Amino acid sequence: MPRKIVHYPHPALRHKAKPVMAIDKDLHLQIGEMKELMYLAKGLGLAAPQVALPFQLLVMNVTGDPNKPECEEVFLNPRIVERKGWMEDEEGCLSFPGLYQDVRRAKTIKVQAYNLKGELVEKVASDLESRAWQHEIDHLNGILFIDMMGPLAKFAAKPSVKTFEKTFRTAQQKGEIPPDVDIEKLLAALESLH
Ligand code: CO
């Protein structure tokens, strides 16, 4: 079954991702699938939990343009080591299609991560790129942009969030999506993979 982007409240989105310990063929295949899904959905970034993979892995292309592969970035086990300043702007998420609200983020961040050669790299990002990094790294910790919204944005997002919940639970009742316990078992089994 081909992978697809899971929507809120899929349990993978709240599952804390495990560090990637090996860069192997499976990992490369998963990265290829993630890039494809990111471009199809017209996103700027995609974190592994969004395709129900419990790993600290993310792909990004802040241009969102599949014809600019030189702007693609793949990072393993990233963490933010420095934050400077603040900014507030509209944000969306491929796991909440159609929902956009203001989110406050650090304006500039410094990220440390491993690249696909297994080298530790450091990167400083500002503005849109910084926002994308913070959003995607949050995904690896089971944190979603609805958690980061201020009270007003949260209130405005409430009906949409309720609709996502209803749609997901209905699909589970119809058997189109497995029950949460089965998804949790699958995630645990996948954790031993890399
Ligand atoms: Co997202």
Side-chain angles (χ1 to χ4, degrees):
M1 201 170 71
R3 258 177 213 292
K4 50 181 190 177
I5 296 174
V6 301
H7 293 167
Y8 178 82
H10 191 287
L13 297 171
R14 289 301 191 189
H15 189 95
K16 205 170 173 340
K18 185 181 161 264
V20 174
M21 301 306 282
I23 299 162
D24 52 19
K25 201 178 129 217
D26 278 344
L27 189 75
H28 281 280
L29 286 173
Q30 288 162 355
I31 289 166
E33 283 181 320
M34 283 173 63
K35 282 184 190 169
E36 209 169 303
L37 290 167
M38 174 180 78
Y39 289 129
L40 273 173
K42 306 201 183 309
L44 308 183
L46 190 64
Q50 292 184 277
V51 294
L53 288 172
F55 302 112
Q56 292 182 22
L57 159 68
L58 53 89
V59 298
M60 278 201 14
N61 183 335
V62 280
T63 68
D65 185 349
N67 298 313
K68 286 189 180 151
E70 70 275 12
C71 298
E72 277 177 8
E73 291 185 286
V74 178
F75 275 168
L76 313 173
N77 311 340
R79 58 193 188 104
I80 297 169
V81 294
E82 224 176 276
R83 298 164 199 265
K84 270 185 204 153
W86 292 101
M87 59 180 174
E88 189 162 329
D89 206 347
E90 203 175 69
E91 202 167 301
C93 177
L94 296 181
S95 295
F96 294 78
L99 176 61
Y100 298 91
Q101 280 298 335
D102 279 1
V103 180
R104 202 166 130 95
R105 300 277 186 189
K107 185 166 172 63
T108 304
I109 55 163
K110 191 195 271 181
V111 181
Q112 278 180 357
Y114 287 90
N115 64 17
L116 280 175
K117 292 178 197 154
E119 302 159 338
L120 184 67
V121 290
E122 206 170 77
K123 190 180 160 82
V124 176
S126 289
D127 303 308
L128 177 65
E129 203 178 359
S130 167
R131 175 174 296 282
W133 280 113
Q134 292 171 77
H135 179 109
E136 299 309 332
I137 291 174
D138 273 353
H139 271 302
L140 304 180
N141 295 309
I143 298 166
L144 301 170
F145 82 141
I146 51 170
D147 308 328
M148 304 304 287
M149 289 174 188
L152 283 177
K154 222 173 232 171
F155 184 77
K158 218 172 186 173
S160 169
V161 170
K162 282 232 177 315
T163 305
F164 282 115
E165 282 166 357
K166 205 174 161 199
T167 306
F168 190 84
R169 299 303 173 204
T170 304
Q172 280 183 320
Q173 277 155 15
K174 287 187 189 159
E176 294 162 5
I177 297 173
D180 283 8
V181 280
D182 290 358
I183 296 174
E184 286 292 353
K185 273 183 211 158
L186 196 67
L187 291 170
L190 281 168
E191 280 181 347
S192 55
L193 210 62
H194 298 304

